Amino acid sequence: MHTASAILGVVLVAVLVSAGCLSAIFPYPSTPAPVQTSSVTPVPTTESPVPTVPVSQMALQPSDMPSGYILKDRSDISYLEMDQMSQNLGWKAGYSVTYYQLNPQQYETTEISQIIDLYPLANMNDVFTISENTITSQNTGTIQIYQIPCPNMGQQTYAYRETDSQNPLLTTYSIIFIKNDVYEQLTMTGTTTDFETLKELAQTAAAKIH
């Protein structure tokens, strides 16, 4: 009996030692530490303020026009229609609309067009400067450009009258301006023109930029 007990004791000790060794080789998995998360601080953007309405809603509507003007055409502008300079300046979207007035008894016609272009806010001064320089560079030969006073429609505004000695019956008035990230050009051309009406339409257009 003593011998059997001794043998049993030895076996138990061996089992315990063996268990200890195995636990050392294959330790029980430890409880993973909780993952620390940090809140993300939003980075402020410089692209503000920007319009909050679709570009088509900035266009002059038939109800904005003087009596007698008829819608001729309105459409989004395609990226492929823009020149390389505009694309390099980051042109994003555009819209154009044209109205006309016809007086067949007196053989008179007048057309009013509006072009709207969206650019990155950081490039707006360059867009305006390049546009103004392009306009004034046409002041050669038969075409004459005359800057005329105009209320400020946004950050910058330039208004001018264009005449062509080869077509003295035709007069053109234009107003270009930038407001936020919007560039606009409004033009009235024809045998009967009225700069005061064009100014009012430009002010209406500027008010549509929110």
Side-chain angles (χ1 to χ4, degrees), residues 78-109:
S78 167
Y79 180 81
L80 295 178
E81 295 180 70
M82 305 305 295
D83 57 25
Q84 189 63 50
M85 178 71 72
S86 299
Q87 294 177 4
N88 292 343
L89 288 168
W91 182 90
K92 298 185 293 184
Y95 200 83
S96 66
V97 61
T98 304
Y99 295 90
Y100 74 95
Q101 183 184 56
L102 182 64
N103 187 340
Q105 286 78 24
Q106 299 183 14
Y107 302 100
E108 293 181 347
T109 180

Side-chain angles (χ1 to χ4, degrees), residues 137-167:
S137 67
Q138 299 173 7
N139 195 16
T140 57
T142 61
I143 297 177
Q144 296 295 315
I145 303 294
Y146 304 94
Q147 183 178 2
I148 50 181
C150 183
N152 194 7
M153 307 298 171
Q155 281 74 47
Q156 296 190 65
T157 303
Y158 180 81
Y160 63 98
R161 179 174 61 251
E162 178 182 329
T163 61
D164 186 346
S165 60
Q166 293 183 343
N167 194 352

Side-chain angles (χ1 to χ4, degrees), residues 101-123:
Q101 183 184 56
L102 182 64
N103 187 340
Q105 286 78 24
Q106 299 183 14
Y107 302 100
E108 293 181 347
T109 180
T110 305
E111 185 173 280
I112 296 175
S113 64
Q114 177 190 23
I115 296 175
I116 308 168
D117 292 311
L118 304 185
Y119 290 90
L121 192 62
N123 294 343

